Amino acid sequence: MTRSSSFLSGLGRTYIGLVLAFLYLPLVIMAAMSFNTSPFYQLPFDWTTSWYEALFENDGLLESTVNSLQIAVLTTLIATPLGTAASLALFRNTFMGKRLLQALLFPPIAIPWLISGTAMLIFFFGTGIGRGLHAILLGHVALALPYVIIVVSARLQTFPRELEDAAAALGASRWQTTWMVTLPAIAPGIIAGALFAFAVSFDQFVVSYFLATPGQTTLPVEIYAAIRKGFTPEINAVSTIIILFSMGLMLIVSRFFRFGGDK
């Protein structure tokens, strides 16, 4: 290895290290301060678990966390099969307006959520759906569907159609081909789409803020309301739990699936 290539390699590693530090250092500090006695990030560090004890006595944060988890799980369970079915339909069929329909999947992702939230609020009131957890669920499903369709469709682009043709030649029905050939082959894409749907729903603030009612809020809305009243390290505690849960979920999924397609 020449001196110039060694220098570039070291520069690349340094750059990646700085990017990772920029992403993870604030999270590490927040997690550490959730165990600090001082509520104002004061040093020296004094270990305590009192903020976690206070968290489990905070009915508002706990209820909103349960609401967020329930809505995120339901969003994932609804958006994933619907998005997968839509992806299969787009993959297998050719019809007039197909390219336009595929192109229309991207604007909902690009449109600012503030506009989407305002539009949903007006639409839901106009149709009688109103506000509440049911409206938040509908809004989250609408936001998550394009992500699932795009991710699963991308996985289908590398799926060999010859496998379906071979299954049909051997006497398999379309339903058997889908369940025994296609879905197992694109499972990593489906799992990735499901994770996107869960993340989009659980982290969604703007749409949830517009559609929530007093006493029926999600965790991001509750955290925003708590910060407006005055910051409390209980937010650090619940955020640390969420980070550990999210990272654990990703590690479990990556343990069984490689998102390149190999199991």
Side-chain angles (χ1 to χ4, degrees):
M1 181 180 292
T2 64
R3 182 175 298 179
S4 60
S5 61
S6 178
F7 171 76
L8 291 175
S9 177
L11 187 63
R13 288 194 295 267
T14 302
Y15 173 73
I16 293 174
L18 290 174
V19 170
L20 292 176
F22 179 78
L23 291 174
Y24 285 98
L25 191 58
L27 301 179
V28 172
I29 294 175
M30 181 189 67
M33 288 304 168
S34 69
F35 294 99
N36 190 11
T37 300
S38 172
F40 304 110
Y41 284 39
Q42 293 177 343
L43 297 175
F45 187 90
D46 188 11
W47 178 273
T48 184
T49 59
S50 59
W51 302 118
Y52 288 86
E53 296 171 4
L55 169 63
F56 288 104
E57 296 175 357
N58 190 322
D59 294 335
L61 277 177
L62 291 178
E63 184 178 352
S64 62
T65 301
V66 171
N67 289 339
S68 286
L69 285 172
Q70 289 177 340
I71 292 173
V73 169
L74 288 174
T75 298
T76 305
L77 293 177
I78 296 172
T80 302
L82 289 179
T84 301
S87 301
L88 289 172
L90 292 171
F91 173 71
R92 288 173 171 171
N93 302 288
T94 301
F95 50 89
M96 184 179 298
K98 176 180 176 180
R99 291 190 178 275
L100 176 62
L101 187 61
Q102 290 174 319
L104 289 176
L105 292 172
F106 292 94
I109 297 176
I111 292 174
W113 282 337
L114 179 63
I115 298 176
S116 298
T118 305
M120 288 183 183
L121 178 62
I122 296 172
F123 176 77
F124 287 172
F125 262 109
T127 56
I129 296 175
R131 299 165 62 195
L133 296 181
H134 65 288
I136 295 176
L137 175 61
L138 291 175
H140 287 194
V141 170
L143 292 176
L145 265 174
Y147 289 90
V148 177
I149 296 174
I150 291 171
V151 171
V152 176
S153 295
R155 179 69 183 98
L156 282 168
Q157 294 304 312
T158 62
F159 175 74
R161 292 176 178 267
E162 293 79 8
L163 293 179
E164 291 190 338
D165 295 336
L170 293 172
S173 65
R174 178 57 66 92
W175 185 256
Q176 290 173 322
T177 300
T178 300
W179 275 102
M180 299 180 182
V181 177
T182 310
L183 291 182
I186 65 171
I190 297 174
I191 297 297
L195 291 175
F196 267 108
F198 184 89
V200 167
S201 174
F202 192 82
D203 190 51
Q204 179 55 239
F205 166 73
V206 178
V207 172
S208 300
Y209 182 79
F210 276 100
L211 300 180
T213 57
Q216 287 187 321
T217 61
T218 60
L219 183 60
V221 177
E222 185 67 22
I223 289 177
Y224 173 74
I227 292 176
R228 290 185 63 187
K229 297 174 184 176
F231 183 80
T232 169
E234 296 168 38
I235 297 175
N236 287 343
V238 69
S239 300
T240 301
I241 293 174
I242 292 171
I243 291 171
L244 294 176
F245 170 78
S246 302
M247 295 182 69
L249 180 62
M250 288 301 301
L251 289 174
I252 291 173
V253 172
S254 63
R255 169 65 179 81
F256 294 99
F257 289 95
R258 295 179 182 177
F259 292 119
D262 297 328
K263 187 174 180 180

